Amino acid sequence: MEELPDELLSHIFTRITSTLDRNSASLTCKRLYQIDNQQRLFLRVGCGLLPAAQALSSLCIRFPNLKSLEITYSGWMSKLGKQLDDQGLSVISNLAHSLTHLSLSFCTFITDVGLRHLESCSNLKLLKLNFIPRITGCGLLSVVGGCNNLSTLHLIRCLNVSNIEWLEHLGKHEMLEDLLIKNCRSIGEGDLLKLGLGWRKLKRFQFEVDPNYKYMKVYDRLAVDRWQKQFVPCKNMTEVCLVNCIISPGRGLACVLGMCKNLEKIHLDMCVGVRDSDIISLARKSRNLRSISLRIPIPSDYSLPLMLDDPLRLTDESLKAIAQNCLMLEAVRISFSDGEFPSFSSFSLNGILTLIHMCPIRELALDQVYSFNDFGMEALCSAQYLETLELVKCQEISDEGMELVTQFPCLRVLRLIKCLGVTDDGLKPLVGSYKLDLLAVEGCPQISERGVQGAAKFVSFRQDLSWMY
């Protein structure tokens, strides 16, 4: 070991990927200890950091080339010692000069004062803040004002971030590529357009509203009417995920949906107000779309006095537009929420099959799509590209339809979840054929563990029927 040159020893040490192994190896001799100090680029610390500021200072001095730092206090209790506070962020700004990625989770002692220390971290490119309840928009403005290279910003459950000047500032820099805002109650759909020209470079965008807060907002029709109507340039956007959002015609996030020319992946989950016109506009613009996921509220979710005239906002016209324009589409997920009308479906069987036959669908997931039945399974026998099929609470499918799976040309993965109509008899043609690489069965009361044995190269079986009661 002592005869090996430093360059070779350093190269060998880079091949150790496990943090635990690196820690152990660095304690065996001084040379490896020094090599580890120079090579360590990532550090994850939390409740064991005591005393927090002093310990973090020692770590930053020991690892001078640190680029990524994650601090998490998940599961913290007062008996575990004091958390890292504003002084700790001062340590980071003064000692971690190479830092480009910083993630803070459940750091309840950090305030705007601490965030202001980060404005001197000029190399910072990624900032993730998860449940930092004491910070506000003023502190965030300090960070984005100083960190001009910031390209990724994730805010999760930062409940007091209300001032949106930081959004306007980010828009002026036009550096942001990845923006995630989740369950930040003081940031609304109408505020997001303040990003302005910042939308132009954005590639990934995720916005999720607390579901309980969503229903509070839908009563306020006047507030929605005040949302801006404007042109939103989203030519570089490739991924969009909207959860529990309100989509108002021509306003707010509706301005975004129709302007994503290079969109590849979209997920709309329980978004109130999505119309055929929104999906049709999106499909005509986003011809590179490869994945679409729609989780649609069903009538019980419209029992509130929403601003909707007709609860059935999405029809086969949406699927037809996607099929005609998105010829690269490979993954489709359609699901409906639990509600009072279990037979409700805004898409017919023909609409779903049009999408499957016109696009090279490789992955198909249907959740509570009651229009999909044995005739749909028969139609899948001609699905030339289908490799993965997931059926959740599709109660119109029986053994007759399931027996046709052996005729699906390319199917390799089948997941059956909470399907009442399928029994062991429906899986018998699969037993011994080993057509499937994976068969996963969960919560299907008429399928036994014995019935799935030998039905695929690998079988996963779980019988949890609590969902039925």
Side-chain angles (χ1 to χ4, degrees):
M1 176 74 75
E2 294 179 356
E3 297 178 357
L4 291 176
D6 289 342
E7 293 79 7
L8 180 57
L9 196 58
S10 179
H11 177 72
I12 293 173
F13 207 75
T14 60
R15 307 299 291 269
I16 303 176
T17 56
S18 168
T19 301
L20 189 61
D21 291 342
R22 289 180 69 94
N23 290 340
S24 300
S26 67
L27 297 177
T28 58
C29 68
K30 288 185 177 180
R31 287 182 71 194
L32 289 181
Y33 182 82
Q34 293 171 352
I35 289 173
D36 182 39
N37 291 349
Q38 295 299 316
Q39 288 188 358
R40 187 71 66 101
L41 303 178
F42 169 76
L43 195 62
R44 186 177 191 268
V45 295
C47 296
L49 200 65
L50 294 172
Q54 293 89 326
L56 184 60
S57 177
S58 298
L59 289 172
C60 289
I61 293 172
R62 178 183 170 184
F63 304 117
N65 298 318
L66 199 64
K67 291 184 177 296
S68 181
L69 176 61
E70 180 180 344
I71 302 174
T72 178
Y73 282 96
S74 177
W76 176 84
M77 296 178 289
S78 58
K79 66 180 181 181
L80 297 176
K82 189 179 179 181
Q83 285 191 13
L84 190 78
D85 56 15
D86 295 334
Q87 184 184 356
L89 295 191
S90 176
V91 169
I92 292 173
S93 65
N94 291 327
L95 298 178
H97 302 295
S98 301
L99 196 68
T100 59
H101 294 61
L102 177 62
S103 177
L104 304 175
S105 298
F106 304 98
C107 299
T108 56
F109 285 35
I110 289 176
T111 69
D112 287 346
V113 175
L115 286 187
R116 291 191 186 101
H117 293 306
L118 296 180
E119 63 184 352
S120 61
C121 297
S122 57
N123 293 320
L124 198 64
K125 295 181 179 180
L126 179 148
L127 178 62
K128 296 183 180 181
L129 303 175
N130 181 10
F131 193 67
I132 317 294
R134 299 175 67 181
I135 65 170
T136 69
C138 295
L140 206 54
L141 179 61
S142 300
V143 176
V144 300
C147 303
N148 295 328
N149 293 314
L150 196 66
S151 60
T152 298
L153 177 62
H154 291 185
L155 300 177
I156 304 172
R157 289 185 291 173
C158 296
L159 304 180
N160 290 314
V161 176
S162 56
N163 187 327
I164 57 170
E165 288 184 33
W166 58 274
L167 264 176
E168 296 175 344
H169 201 90
L170 279 173
K172 292 176 182 177
H173 282 295
E174 295 187 47
M175 289 294 294
L176 201 63
E177 296 182 0
D178 186 340
L179 176 61
L180 181 151
I181 301 175
K182 181 178 179 180
N183 295 343
C184 299
R185 293 187 174 184
S186 298
I187 305 173
E189 292 93 322
D191 299 327
L192 296 170
L193 296 188
K194 296 294 184 181
L195 192 59
L197 293 178
W199 286 98
R200 192 153 52 187
K201 197 170 181 180
L202 204 62
K203 295 180 180 179
R204 291 169 295 278
F205 174 60
Q206 180 174 340
F207 186 74
E208 182 171 339
V209 178
D210 185 304
N212 297 318
Y213 190 59
K214 174 186 71 172
Y215 290 132
M216 293 168 59
K217 291 196 301 179
V218 295
Y219 283 97
D220 194 355
R221 171 65 184 269
L222 293 177
V224 174
D225 287 342
R226 287 195 294 268
W227 290 354
Q228 296 181 16
K229 292 185 177 182
Q230 69 180 65
F231 171 76
V232 179
C234 302
K235 63 179 181 179
N236 288 319
M237 189 80 75
T238 59
E239 295 183 22
V240 171
C241 176
L242 304 179
V243 183
N244 297 319
C245 297
I246 297 174
I247 308 296
S248 181
R251 292 182 173 87
L253 294 175
C255 300
V256 176
L257 291 179
M259 299 304 298
C260 301
K261 183 178 179 181
N262 293 305
L263 194 66
E264 296 180 3
K265 184 177 181 179
I266 186 165
H267 176 68
L268 300 177
D269 189 336
M270 298 293 288
C271 291
V272 174
V274 181
R275 294 168 167 79
D276 277 336
S277 58
D278 297 316
I279 301 299
I280 292 171
S281 176
L282 183 147
R284 289 173 177 172
K285 268 295 189 191
S286 309
R287 294 181 179 269
N288 294 328
L289 195 67
R290 295 180 180 275
S291 173
I292 185 168
S293 174
L294 301 173
R295 183 169 177 241
I296 303 166
I298 63 176
S300 64
D301 293 307
Y302 293 94
S303 56
L304 295 172
L306 308 182
M307 60 276 199
L308 308 177
D309 299 322
D310 177 9
L312 192 61
R313 289 300 179 100
L314 292 181
T315 68
D316 287 348
E317 292 301 314
S318 293
L319 299 185
K320 182 179 178 181
I322 295 171
Q324 291 175 341
N325 294 282
C326 305
L327 301 181
M328 300 172 67
L329 191 66
E330 295 180 337
V332 174
R333 184 178 188 90
I334 300 174
S335 61
F336 292 86
S337 64
D338 291 316
E340 299 169 359
F341 302 91
S343 61
F344 173 87
S345 179
S346 61
F347 300 136
S348 71
L349 177 60
N350 288 335
I352 296 171
L353 294 182
T354 298
L355 189 62
I356 295 170
H357 288 151
M358 294 184 67
C359 300
I361 306 297
R362 299 183 183 277
E363 300 178 19
L364 176 64
L366 302 175
D367 185 347
Q368 299 191 87
V369 181
Y370 294 102
S371 61
F372 195 82
N373 51 28
D374 289 343
F375 292 107
M377 295 293 285
E378 183 177 358
L380 291 184
C381 292
S382 59
Q384 296 294 322
Y385 302 95
L386 188 63
E387 297 175 354
T388 300
L389 176 62
E390 180 177 313
L391 301 172
V392 183
K393 290 186 179 180
C394 291
Q395 314 303 11
E396 299 301 316
I397 297 176
S398 67
D399 288 341
E400 185 177 348
M402 194 54 56
E403 290 172 353
L404 298 172
V405 168
T406 55
Q407 302 178 37
F408 293 4
C410 298
L411 194 70
R412 293 293 177 265
V413 177
L414 175 62
R415 296 186 179 92
L416 300 176
I417 303 172
K418 302 175 184 178
C419 294
L420 299 175
V422 182
T423 71
D424 289 349
D425 292 338
L427 299 178
K428 281 183 178 179
L430 287 170
V431 176
S433 69
Y434 293 102
K435 171 183 174 59
L436 299 178
D437 293 331
L438 170 65
L439 171 64
V441 177
E442 179 179 339
C444 299
Q446 298 196 77
I447 301 178
S448 66
E449 187 170 7
R450 184 176 180 180
V452 301
Q453 292 179 0
K457 296 175 183 176
F458 180 80
V459 173
S460 172
F461 180 83
R462 184 167 177 250
Q463 192 67 293
D464 181 4
L465 303 181
S466 59
W467 67 275
M468 299 177 62
Y469 305 103

